[in-house]
């Protein structure tokens, strides 16, 4: 135990004292935050200025005029400045092809010169076909396109209704066809947001995936480094290979978890200062759920760290290890790739079976719990969903212990082997010893 | 006996590395395991260190099987040297010593003394990667002894060291012996072993050829060698009566004679033909003893430092 602590402290200090630790501590959440908020920022930036457009209407049905009027509903953030300004509305007879072409070409020139953003063309058969309207622009803007389409649909649909002699105001028809919001409430009668649940599940799984891989590679590299620098033989003359292995796995793991702890505390503080978001998460992120997520996370973390230590001990170089990395990463990824199954029905047979396969348990359960636990009537341990989760925890914990035991046998021999990769028969022989 | 190996055997897939080897290492001596490359020296030492396990036989430390406490009482320098390249000298030594239950303050007390003795004091706060290979060897030697182990085990002790550094290490080892420490080393460089060890064991092809104290071993073979320095060509000496073997070295000739030969007669015969600068009856060197006893092929010793398993 004493020697374990010396190795533990050494490995921990080795990581925490590095400059890259501080850099990663600050840079990682910064990058993640940037990734999450970048689309919002870009959108905000884009909507800040008024855009100019011209409209050519060849229908003599006043479609252009009504469309231009409707565009006035769009304003910028100050709710006064118009989003769109129509420079000109040309009403051109359907048969006057020459005038249409000249007008269109001159407007196109304006667009290429940058003096105009869009040209909306309403062709003569706009009412009879679904493809009778088009937009000319130097580059496509999805948000403006959507707005134009919505307003044109309103105008043209009402003309179509008139033509078929249905005498209802267009707005009420459109209101009737609008989608209905289906609100989900749990057994306690609290409204749960499905999107937020999914978002949280994905954030947790991605965080777990990222940390397991980063930490695992660190463990593996540390073992390989000590092998190639030939220091291993001195180390095992002072500590047992088992103490060394555990010291490494836990020491490096603790360094990674230190980083996570700092993030969590910082993140929690930010959330606590932001009342809207904290109430949004309150119903879902209960301490009860968090404790379970933490348990699955720690056990998963240990399981994979041990596997990476095992990998480091049987290979000679990091390059050699690459081939073995794929199956390990696959095991982590499979539940993420099958996440639609978990989201569809967190209690389906396939999902239940996956929960009990130790390699899949951590990622599967972390996703599953986000959908299972918020809908529980209470936080008692004695209900089927919770008991099942505890059972998967026990299976996982037993696997972790088994893996550590097995790895220690292979590790003992592997770390002193140089120049070649251990073969499977050799490994089996080591385990039997 | 401080350390005892009883009938040790270790077999690898394709060969027997060590076969029915028994050694007795008394407390307070410098004990050399001597033999050519591939003789089984490293395997033997690794078994003592419990890094590999013998197939049969037993290893006793203070008459008890080697256990966990042995780790803290031994200093071990493996054949394959290595240190943490990115750490500073002081950090490396502190960590290695901590693993032997030797505290940081104890290290601070001793480190300057040892760094001074091996001329590394100016590098104390440098990183290991900034040291030359020979310096790293000396640093690793310090990590082996700083925690004041009772028994020091050094595999291929002289490999990678230049003559000056060999002298430095030799001096330290003799001092440690005076303090009552026990030193077990292996080497394939016989001349160096001869100057250092009290007791020795020669092994060849995994088996013990002979063992005992240095004086014992030498006297068993008697004084039947003569070293001669001459001006001129000494090839004719080969043909003189009573000369059993003849080896020409760079600046002297060594011959072996039959037990009953008249050395005076030989001297006269040589002096008749050439100018004799030195004519000395000497004890046989360990190398010669080994070649004679093990019937070994002298080319086995031409290796560069023992890259065997």
């Amino acid at each position: 135990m004493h020697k374990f602590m010396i190795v533990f402290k050494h490995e921990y200090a080795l990581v925490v004292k590095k400059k890259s630790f501080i850099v990663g501590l600050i840079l990682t959440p910064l990058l993640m935050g940037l990734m999450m908020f970048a689309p919002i920022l870009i959108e905000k930036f884009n909507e800040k200025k008024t855009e100019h457009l011209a409209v050519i209407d060849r229908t003599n049905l006043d479609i252009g005029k009504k469309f231009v009027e409707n565009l006035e509903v769009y304003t910028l953030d100050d709710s006064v400045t118009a989003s769109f300004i129509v420079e000109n509305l040309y009403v051109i007879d359907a048969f006057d092809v020459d005038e249409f072409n000249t007008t269109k070409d001159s407007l196109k020139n304006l667009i290429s010169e940058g003096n105009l953003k869009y040209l909306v063309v309403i062709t003569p058969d706009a009412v009879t076909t679904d493809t009778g309207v088009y937009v000319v622009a130097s580059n496509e803007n999805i948000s403006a396109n959507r707005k134009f389409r919505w307003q044109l649909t309103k105008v043209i649909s009402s003309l179509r209704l008139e033509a078929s002699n249905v005498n209802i105001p267009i707005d009420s028809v459109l209101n009737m066809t609008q989608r209905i919001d289906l609100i989900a409430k749990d057994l306690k009668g609290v409204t749960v947001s499905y999107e937020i649940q999914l978002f949280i599940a994905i954030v947790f799984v991605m965080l777990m995936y990222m940390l397991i891989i980063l930490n695992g590679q660190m463990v593996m590299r540390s073992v390989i480094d000590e092998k190639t620098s030939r220091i291993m033989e001195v180390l095992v003359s002072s500590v047992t290979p088992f103490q060394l292995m555990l010291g490494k796995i836990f020491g490096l793991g603790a360094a990674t978890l230190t980083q996570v702890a700092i993030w969590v505390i910082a993140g929690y503080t930010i959330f606590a200062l932001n009342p809207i978001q904290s109430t949004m998460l309150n119903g879902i992120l209960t301490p009860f759920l968090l404790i379970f997520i933490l348990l699955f996370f720690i056990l998963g973390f240990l399981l994979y760290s041990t596997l990476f230590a095992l990998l480091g001990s049987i290979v000679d170089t990091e390059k050699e290890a690459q081939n073995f990395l794929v199956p390990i990463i696959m095991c982590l990824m499979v539940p993420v790739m099958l996440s639609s199954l978990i989201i569809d029905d967190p209690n389906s047979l396939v999902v239940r079976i996956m929960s009990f396969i130790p390699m899949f348990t951590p990622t599967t359960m972390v996703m599953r719990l986000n959908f299972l636990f918020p809908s529980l009537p209470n936080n008692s341990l004695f209900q089927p969903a919770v008991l099942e989760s505890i059972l998967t925890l026990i299976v996982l914990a037993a696997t972790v212990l088994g893996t550590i035991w097995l790895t220690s046998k292979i590790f003992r021999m592997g770390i002193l082997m140089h120049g070649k990769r251990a073969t499977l028969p050799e490994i089996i022989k080591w385990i039997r010893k | 006996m401080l350390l005892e190996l009883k009938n040790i055997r270790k077999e690898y897939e394709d060969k027997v590395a060590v076969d029915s080897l028994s050694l007795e290492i008394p407390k307070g001596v410098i004990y050399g395991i001597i033999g050519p490359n591939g003789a089984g020296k490293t395997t033997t030492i690794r078994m003592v260190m419990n890094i590999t396990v013998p197939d049969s036989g037993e290893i006793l430390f203070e008459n008890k099987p080697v256990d966990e406490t042995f780790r803290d009482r031994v200093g071990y320098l493996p054949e394959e040297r290595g240190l943490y390249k990115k750490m500073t000298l002081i950090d490396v030594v502190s960590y290695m010593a901590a693993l032997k239950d030797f505290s940081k303050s104890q290290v601070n007390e001793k480190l300057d003394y040892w760094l001074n003795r091996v001329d590394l004091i100016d590098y104390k706060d440098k990183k290991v990667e900034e040291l030359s290979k020979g310096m790293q060897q000396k640093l690793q030697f310090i990590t082996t002894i700083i925690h004041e182990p009772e028994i020091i085990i050094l595999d291929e002790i002289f490999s990678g060291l230049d003559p000056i550094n060999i002298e430095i290490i030799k001096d330290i080892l003799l001092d440690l012996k005076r303090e009552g420490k026990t030193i077990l080393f292996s080497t394939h460089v016989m001349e160096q072993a001869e100057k250092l060890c009290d007791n020795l064991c020669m092994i060849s092809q995994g088996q013990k050829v002979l063992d005992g104290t240095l004086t014992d071993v030498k006297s068993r073979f008697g004084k039947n060698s003569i070293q001669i320095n001459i001006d001129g060509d000494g090839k004719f000496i080969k043909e003189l009566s009573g000369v059993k073997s003849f080896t020409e070295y760079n600046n002297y000739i060594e011959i072996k004679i039959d037990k009953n030969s008249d050395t005076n007669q030989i001297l006269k015969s040589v002096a008749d033909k050439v100018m004799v600068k030195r004519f000395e009856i000497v004890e046989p060197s360990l190398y010669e003893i080994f070649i004679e006893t093990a019937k070994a092929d002298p080319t086995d010793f031409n290796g560069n430092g023992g890259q065997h398993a």
Side-chain angles (χ1 to χ4, degrees):
Chain A
M1 196 58 195
H2 171 67
K3 294 269 174 85
F4 160 79
M5 281 314 291
I6 294 168
V7 179
F8 179 96
K9 277 187 207 155
H10 167 78
E11 298 287 346
Y12 182 82
L14 216 58
V15 177
V16 176
K17 277 185 189 165
K18 265 192 207 152
K19 281 186 206 103
S20 59
F21 181 79
I22 310 286
V23 175
L25 193 65
I26 298 162
L27 220 58
T28 313
L30 217 64
L31 280 176
M32 277 177 77
L34 207 67
M35 257 156 59
M36 272 203 252
F37 293 113
I40 301 168
L41 288 176
I42 290 167
E43 184 116 329
K44 276 245 158 85
F45 181 75
N46 265 355
E47 276 189 0
K48 279 237 164 76
K49 65 177 202 285
T50 309
E51 291 180 322
H52 298 259
L53 70 151
V55 180
I56 300 178
D57 182 358
R58 306 183 65 196
T59 56
N60 75 8
L61 289 169
D62 281 349
I63 293 178
K65 194 179 152 217
K66 286 173 190 157
F67 168 61
V68 169
E69 281 163 9
N70 285 356
L71 276 185
E72 282 168 13
V73 302
Y74 299 113
T75 55
L76 296 185
D77 286 347
D78 58 4
S79 63
V80 178
T81 320
S83 277
F84 301 103
I85 289 177
V86 180
E87 293 286 329
N88 226 324
L89 168 63
Y90 302 90
V91 180
I92 299 168
D93 189 80
F95 301 103
D96 202 342
V97 179
D98 286 343
E99 197 192 337
F100 169 65
N101 280 339
T102 353
T103 315
K104 195 173 78 174
D105 289 345
S106 69
L107 290 172
K108 274 185 177 172
N109 278 337
L110 285 177
I111 289 175
S112 64
E113 284 160 13
N115 293 324
L116 196 67
K117 187 82 202 251
Y118 310 101
L119 164 63
V120 177
V121 179
I122 302 157
T123 63
D125 46 2
V127 178
T128 49
T129 68
D130 285 341
T131 52
V133 188
Y134 61 88
V135 179
V136 182
S138 56
N139 55 339
E140 198 178 14
N141 182 323
I142 291 170
S143 141
N145 258 12
R146 203 174 52 226
K147 286 167 180 169
F148 294 164
R149 188 173 62 205
W150 175 237
Q151 297 308 333
L152 284 162
T153 308
K154 272 166 91 171
V155 177
I156 292 169
S157 301
S158 85
L159 286 171
R160 286 179 185 173
L161 281 172
E162 259 172 51
S164 50
N165 286 326
V166 179
N167 194 15
I168 310 173
I170 178 64
D171 279 342
S172 61
V173 174
L174 289 174
N175 282 343
M176 268 191 273
T177 55
Q178 257 176 25
R179 72 190 176 115
I180 287 165
D181 285 329
L182 185 64
I183 299 160
K185 285 187 185 237
D186 64 19
L187 296 176
K188 285 167 283 187
V190 178
T191 311
V192 282
S193 164
Y194 173 79
E195 278 91 355
I196 292 177
Q197 273 180 318
L198 182 62
F199 178 75
I200 294 172
I202 287 173
V203 166
F204 273 126
V205 167
M206 289 325 278
L207 202 67
M208 191 162 144
Y209 172 80
M210 194 184 81
L211 291 171
I212 284 177
I213 299 276
L214 285 180
N215 183 72
Q217 295 218 329
M218 200 157 72
V219 171
M220 188 182 80
R221 200 166 301 138
S222 159
V223 176
I224 294 176
D225 277 354
E226 278 175 2
K227 271 183 85 171
T228 46
S229 71
R230 300 286 193 263
I231 206 162
M232 208 50 113
E233 208 171 316
V234 187
L235 291 178
V236 297
S237 76
S238 305
V239 294
T240 63
F242 188 63
Q243 289 166 332
L244 182 68
M245 186 184 85
L246 286 190
K248 250 180 211 312
I249 292 172
F250 283 90
L252 293 172
T256 304
L257 290 180
T258 303
Q259 211 164 24
V260 177
I262 295 173
W263 290 339
V264 168
I265 291 167
Y268 185 81
T269 319
I270 291 168
F271 264 119
L273 293 175
N274 191 336
I276 307 160
Q277 268 153 328
S278 60
T279 47
M280 220 162 66
L281 294 177
N282 259 350
I284 302 162
L285 272 184
T286 57
F288 187 67
L289 173 64
L290 283 177
I291 287 169
F292 270 86
I293 288 180
L294 193 70
L295 286 174
F296 278 109
F297 176 75
I298 289 174
L299 287 176
F301 198 70
L302 277 178
L303 176 66
Y304 280 93
S305 295
T306 311
L307 288 175
F308 274 100
L310 169 71
L311 183 54
S313 75
I314 58 169
V315 298
D316 221 36
T317 60
E318 252 184 88
K319 214 173 146 196
E320 246 175 38
Q322 294 304 321
N323 304 327
F324 294 89
L325 278 181
V326 179
I328 294 182
I329 292 177
M330 281 304 284
C331 285
L332 265 176
M333 280 306 282
V334 164
V336 181
M337 289 190 290
L338 298 177
S339 58
S340 65
L341 283 177
I342 300 168
I343 294 162
D344 276 352
D345 182 1
N347 278 326
S348 69
L349 186 64
V350 186
V351 174
R352 283 194 142 133
I353 291 171
M354 260 163 56
S355 305
F356 279 98
I357 300 173
M359 297 289 285
F360 297 159
T361 307
T363 35
T364 309
M365 284 308 287
V366 164
M367 274 196 287
R368 214 181 138 196
L369 289 180
N370 275 292
F371 295 98
L372 275 185
F373 277 18
S375 54
L376 292 176
N378 56 55
N379 284 344
S380 156
L381 292 177
F382 301 101
Q383 46 191 324
V386 182
L387 284 177
E388 194 182 307
S389 306
I390 293 172
L391 201 59
T392 63
L393 268 179
I394 293 170
V395 173
L396 181 60
T399 312
V400 169
L401 289 179
T403 311
I404 289 177
W405 175 79
L406 203 69
T407 300
S408 74
K409 298 199 124 192
I410 300 169
F411 192 84
R412 213 172 68 87
M413 306 299 292
I415 50 175
L416 294 170
M417 211 162 131
H418 293 300
K420 71 182 189 102
R421 202 178 67 208
T423 60
L424 195 61
E426 272 170 335
I427 292 173
I428 291 167
K429 213 173 84 187
W430 295 343
I431 295 171
R432 284 202 180 140
K433 259 186 192 166
Chain B
M1 280 305 134
L2 185 71
L3 188 66
E4 221 173 324
L5 278 69
K6 283 186 171 170
N7 237 339
I8 298 297
R9 181 184 170 89
K10 179 75 187 178
E11 206 172 318
Y12 289 119
E13 258 153 51
D14 43 355
K15 66 165 195 169
V16 180
V18 173
D19 192 13
S20 47
L21 180 70
S22 296
L23 301 180
E24 289 188 343
I25 297 147
K27 195 170 158 53
V29 300
I30 301 184
Y31 194 107
I33 299 178
I34 300 158
N37 295 332
K41 302 187 296 289
T42 297
T43 308
T44 307
I45 284 180
R46 283 181 154 200
M47 285 189 285
V48 173
M49 291 310 303
N50 200 17
I51 289 169
T52 44
V53 184
D55 298 336
S56 63
E58 58 177 344
I59 298 170
L60 301 176
F61 182 66
E62 294 178 332
N63 302 318
K64 284 178 298 223
V66 172
D67 62 8
E68 278 301 294
T69 57
F70 180 66
R71 287 176 195 275
D72 287 342
R73 299 170 65 184
V74 69
Y76 171 52
L77 180 74
E79 183 190 4
E80 302 260 25
R81 312 288 153 81
L83 290 166
Y84 294 100
K85 299 257 185 294
K86 302 275 175 203
M87 286 169 75
T88 59
L89 264 67
I90 180 159
D91 283 348
V92 167
V93 178
S94 301
Y95 179 48
M96 291 306 186
L99 288 176
K100 295 285 191 190
D101 253 336
F102 205 67
S103 73
K104 181 113 185 175
S105 60
Q106 285 172 297
V107 170
N108 287 337
E109 238 170 73
K110 303 274 171 196
L111 188 59
D112 284 0
Y113 167 76
W114 286 118
L115 288 180
N116 262 318
R117 267 201 88 166
V118 298
D119 289 333
L120 285 177
I121 191 73
D122 296 340
Y123 297 87
K124 191 175 172 184
D125 296 309
K126 293 265 164 46
K127 283 185 177 171
V128 172
E129 60 190 352
E130 292 171 49
L131 301 185
S132 74
K133 218 173 165 206
M135 289 173 173
Q136 290 188 21
Q137 297 264 24
K138 289 191 284 184
L139 177 63
Q140 186 151 21
F141 178 71
I142 289 178
T143 65
T144 311
I145 57 164
I146 193 155
H147 59 284
E148 300 175 338
E150 293 158 54
I151 175 162
I152 299 158
I153 297 182
L154 311 155
D155 198 2
E156 283 301 343
I157 173 171
F158 301 117
S159 78
L161 288 174
D162 59 32
I164 296 168
N165 285 326
I166 288 181
E167 286 310 313
I168 293 176
I169 301 290
K170 227 187 267 176
D171 277 351
I172 295 176
L173 289 177
L174 290 171
D175 280 357
L176 289 171
K177 183 201 156 192
R178 253 168 250 137
E179 287 170 26
K181 316 281 190 214
T182 309
I183 295 151
L184 170 67
F185 72 90
S186 84
T187 184
H188 68 280
V189 188
M190 301 249 176
E191 300 86 69
Q192 299 297 349
E194 198 163 350
K195 291 180 201 161
L196 193 59
C197 61
D198 306 311
N199 295 44
L200 65 100
C201 159
M202 285 184 174
I203 59 174
S204 171
Q205 291 167 0
Q207 283 177 316
K208 182 161 75 182
V209 177
L210 59 87
D211 65 349
T213 63
L214 186 67
T215 35
D216 252 10
V217 168
K218 291 235 168 160
S219 63
R220 237 184 281 167
F221 279 79
K223 293 192 173 187
N224 62 346
S225 290
I226 304 171
Q227 289 181 359
I228 311 165
N229 280 34
I230 50 163
D231 268 345
D233 189 3
K235 290 249 158 40
F236 70 93
I237 297 172
K238 225 186 306 191
E239 315 298 337
L240 297 174
S241 73
V243 174
K244 216 164 62 173
S245 80
F246 173 95
T247 321
E248 198 167 6
Y249 293 101
N250 230 355
N251 43 18
Y252 68 94
I253 291 164
E254 185 162 330
I255 57 171
K256 251 178 250 155
I257 51 172
D258 291 330
K259 268 204 180 119
N260 306 320
S261 310
D262 183 351
T263 47
N264 271 337
Q265 189 56 48
I266 293 171
L267 174 59
K268 260 184 215 164
S269 313
V270 177
D272 276 351
K273 300 216 172 165
V274 288
M275 163 80 187
V276 179
K277 289 156 100 185
R278 181 170 75 104
F279 187 89
E280 190 182 354
I281 301 164
V282 292
E283 291 179 323
S285 69
L286 282 180
Y287 175 74
E288 284 166 84
I289 293 174
F290 184 85
I291 297 295
E292 205 173 310
T293 330
K295 308 275 179 288
D297 181 356
T299 55
D300 281 353
F301 287 91
N302 296 341
N304 56 1
Q307 296 302 313
H308 52 92

